[in-house]
Amino acid sequence: MFQMKTNINLRVSFYTRDKKDSEVEQSPIMLRVSYEGKRLNLGRLPIEVKPSLLQANRVVSSCPDAGYINRELDAVKAKLMVYAEDLYRNNALTLSRLRDAYAGKRRTSFKTIGAVFNENNEEHARRTQAGLLTQGTLRNYRRFAQSFLDFILMRYKVKDLLVSEVTVAILDEYRLYLECEGGYNHNTLIKLLRYAVNAMKYAEKKGYLKDNALRDVSYCENAVDRGFLTTEELQKVEEVELNYHFSVVRDVFLFACYTGISYRDVYNLREKNIAVMNGHPWLLFRRQKTDTLSQVYLLDKAIAILDKYLYERPYDGRLLPVYSNQVINRDLKKIAEACGIEKCLTFHLARHTFATKRPVVERFCGYVYATIQYDGGKEYPLQVDANGLYATSQRVSVVNDPNGGGLWNYIAAFNLSTIHYVTMAE
């Protein structure tokens, strides 16, 4: 007799199509399963017996073929229990899935999409511990997974789906759910959908799925114009009177405007990241997002902000008292209101302000500065990659550099044979 490894309250019953008091000599044996108060008929078996001889799911010994028939019934029950245990281990046991498995519709495995989410996120957690992902990214992945499971529960009244049950139609319904119930903007919605698609690809790669219905599904985010602060708006932010808390938020934001550094990289700056080259301080660090080396020439205003907090540095040695990104973005909107700026002020806007209003030469993902002039006196950034400066126009002239020739001496040290100038529209 088959013994269950797990305690599943599943009952397998055998009965004849005809009643026990029927006078028929042979009646087909029928199969029924019960689980959690529900039952489902699985059809007839290829075995017939006199109805009065089938008692308590067994054929009585007086039947000539009792031994053979009972072995067949045991085999059917054992087969159902194996499928049930496999489904139960994957938190996917339902009578309909058990019926499909018994009928030969069994998939590569009974892995559920929730189990795939958990397994994939465990790998992401190990990458986070190794410093390859941020805690914020890991939290987002877990939130994306929970969002999909919440949708399944709301729409289909089940806690999970087999990966083989996830189809394009379900994904389309999920998108409608996110648009109508979640209130997400397009790009956030695309990230949630893309997470589900990538989870299915992960399941296919792991061998949990043979035919991935979402294999060819892809999504594109809309280009976002985050804008930038004009010179006049930047001056308003610099000059507005604020209390200590908001002045710290303002100074950290301005520091990013003067350096073009992202929030996380500003947060991570330590004294060891300051170096002096050609008599001027630079920031040398690796970007957390890409692990690329950045070399940032410090403008005088950026140096002044660092000096301001020289004796107010956090206990962990960071150069600036940076609040959380959420707090900064919340308070920047209040600062914008105090300045009469109608734009949606966020920390990331500082990078766009820097790139647009503070001309920059980029080398190995680092920045040095020069003021350049094109046509009617507008300022544009200079951009350099590892192979040198790439030109879109030759009508750019250098007006001055911030360190009396030091900038161009620094560039010459990289042995760039030819410098081509780039103009970028505001």
Side-chain angles (χ1 to χ4, degrees), residues 121 138-148 174 184 188 192:
N121 284 339
L138 180 60
R139 283 195 300 270
N140 283 339
Y141 286 156
R142 288 171 174 166
R143 179 170 60 86
F144 294 166
Q146 190 59 50
S147 173
F148 191 80
Y174 181 44
Y184 296 105
T188 303
L192 287 157

Side-chain angles (χ1 to χ4, degrees), residues 361-366 382-390 416 422:
V361 176
E362 180 177 1
R363 179 68 186 182
F364 298 120
C365 295
L382 287 171
Q383 186 178 21
V384 184
D385 73 352
N387 297 316
L389 295 158
Y390 289 84
L416 299 180
V422 169

Side-chain angles (χ1 to χ4, degrees), residues 127-182:
R127 292 190 183 97
T128 301
Q129 291 176 352
L132 302 177
L133 288 178
T134 65
Q135 287 290 344
T137 299
L138 180 60
R139 283 195 300 270
N140 283 339
Y141 286 156
R142 288 171 174 166
R143 179 170 60 86
F144 294 166
Q146 190 59 50
S147 173
F148 191 80
L149 296 177
D150 290 343
F151 158 73
I152 291 172
L153 183 60
M154 184 278 299
R155 177 65 179 83
Y156 301 103
K157 311 304 179 187
V158 296
K159 295 181 179 179
D160 213 339
L161 291 175
L162 296 176
V163 288
S164 55
E165 295 173 336
V166 180
T167 63
V168 174
I170 289 178
L171 201 64
D172 288 341
E173 288 195 42
Y174 181 44
R175 178 169 188 161
L176 184 63
Y177 164 80
L178 293 174
E179 291 173 339
C180 299
E181 304 294 334

Side-chain angles (χ1 to χ4, degrees), residues 3 61 71 405:
Q3 296 294 326
S61 59
R71 286 194 297 272

Side-chain angles (χ1 to χ4, degrees), residues 5 78 114 123 125 178 185 244 294 383:
K5 295 180 181 179
E123 292 188 7
L178 293 174
N185 64 36
Y244 178 80
S294 289
Q383 186 178 21

Side-chain angles (χ1 to χ4, degrees), residues 66-107:
Y68 164 75
I69 294 176
N70 286 332
R71 286 194 297 272
E72 289 296 312
L73 297 182
D74 288 341
V76 170
K77 183 174 181 179
K79 183 178 180 180
L80 283 168
M81 289 301 185
V82 169
Y83 290 151
E85 186 168 302
D86 196 356
L87 285 164
Y88 185 82
R89 281 200 307 267
N90 288 281
N91 195 30
L93 178 57
T94 64
L95 292 179
S96 60
R97 288 170 181 160
L98 184 59
R99 176 195 59 201
D100 290 343
Y102 177 74
K105 299 178 182 178
R106 180 177 180 177
R107 279 75 174 184

